[in-house]
Every structure is written in C-alpha cells, then in structure tokens.
Amino acid sequence: MERADVSIIRLPVDQSGPHVQPLFTEPRVAVLPIGHPLAGRSAVTVLDLADDHLLQAPDAVPEWRDVARELRTGQCDDVPALHSVEEKLELVAAGAGIRVLPLSTAAFCARPDVVAVPVDGIGPSRVCLVWVATRRSRPIQDFADAFPSLAPTA
C-alpha cells in the first residue's frame, strides 16, 4: 500500500496529529431540487433551510444543525452512505433533501434538475495542505513552501 506524504483536504479533519497548513476558503452553497420553493432565490439564510432534510451529517453544517427542525423534533431520517457527488445530487434531484457543497464542486457538477443557491450565515469551505507532523523531510517542506496561503488578504 502506498502512502501520500502530503494531501490537499477540506476541513473538518482531526487536527490532533497532522500538520495543517491553510490554503484558501471558498463559499458553500445549498443545492436544492429545481422545484424547491427557494430554488429561484438569489440567496437564502440558514433559517430558510431549517425545515429541509440535510443529506449529510449534521455536524458537517453546524449552522444548519443548530436550527434544524427535524433535529429538534427527533424526526430526522437517516442519511444514506453516499460515495460520490453524483449520488448526492441524484438524491437532491429526487427531492430526498438538500446538500451543502463548496461552490466549486456545485459548479463543476452542475445539472439541470438541481440549483445551487448561496447561503448567508454559513461558514466557508476551508482547503488545507496536510502531512504527518512528525515527518520532517526537505521534499515535504519544499512542497508546502510551494503552496503559500492563497487566502485573500484584507
């Protein structure tokens, strides 16, 4: 089995072992079925989505988790194991729920039966470079140095 020395990942990830170097952030959007009442909006709030079923772990979108009606009433459906963006969007298109994705993922995987809507009040997707903190080699450091933070400066 081969191992990668360095990976590019999206947070969250357990940061107690690896070294995590932030690269950039990007907005996240709610992906809704085309017939959803909010699908025509230019943007929505997390509260607008409180009645929807989230097709991902609630902790992946803590802002939604904190206001979700289904979690407060204990009437939430299980989230099936989904292995690809295509599977996720297929369930959204079928009306099984909504999904929150990074903007670039939603744009790359666009399809005519779903719509991506910006969500006000939700944190961005954070992309980072990660490697095992105890591994200190020149190639790893050179690679990390080649990717300074791309986050915009204020």
Side-chain angles (χ1 to χ4, degrees), residues 90-121:
E90 190 65 34
L91 281 177
V92 170
I98 64 167
R99 185 82 186 193
V100 174
L101 294 174
L103 177 60
S104 62
T105 302
F108 182 78
C109 298
R111 39 185 289 168
D113 49 1
V114 299
V115 63
V117 180
V119 183
D120 294 332

Side-chain angles (χ1 to χ4, degrees), residues 1-145:
M1 175 169 158
E2 294 195 32
R3 295 173 33 138
D5 289 323
V6 180
S7 295
I8 297 174
I9 57 100
R10 288 188 187 274
L11 296 181
V13 66
D14 179 6
Q15 296 184 40
S16 60
H19 178 82
V20 178
Q21 176 178 311
L23 293 177
F24 63 91
T25 62
E26 70 172 310
R28 292 189 297 166
V29 296
V31 181
L32 314 169
I34 198 73
H36 192 282
L38 301 174
R41 294 249 195 103
S42 60
V44 296
T45 68
V46 175
L47 285 174
D48 293 332
L49 303 172
D51 290 330
D52 287 291
H53 175 58
L54 188 68
L55 293 170
Q56 62 202 103
D59 288 343
V61 189
E63 301 90 345
W64 177 89
R65 178 200 62 212
D66 294 344
V67 299
R69 188 172 322 282
E70 70 180 35
L71 296 179
R72 290 194 311 269
T73 63
Q75 298 176 348
C76 55
D77 296 329
D78 289 333
V79 177
L82 302 170
H83 304 288
S84 70
V85 175
E86 291 79 11
E87 286 179 313
K88 297 166 187 175
L89 296 180
E90 190 65 34
L91 281 177
V92 170
I98 64 167
R99 185 82 186 193
V100 174
L101 294 174
L103 177 60
S104 62
T105 302
F108 182 78
C109 298
R111 39 185 289 168
D113 49 1
V114 299
V115 63
V117 180
V119 183
D120 294 332
I122 193 170
S125 175
R126 296 177 293 157
V127 178
C128 300
L129 205 57
V130 176
W131 63 92
V132 176
T134 57
R135 296 195 60 196
R136 293 183 176 93
S137 71
R138 185 83 236 154
I140 290 174
Q141 191 57 53
D142 289 346
F143 189 84
D145 290 345

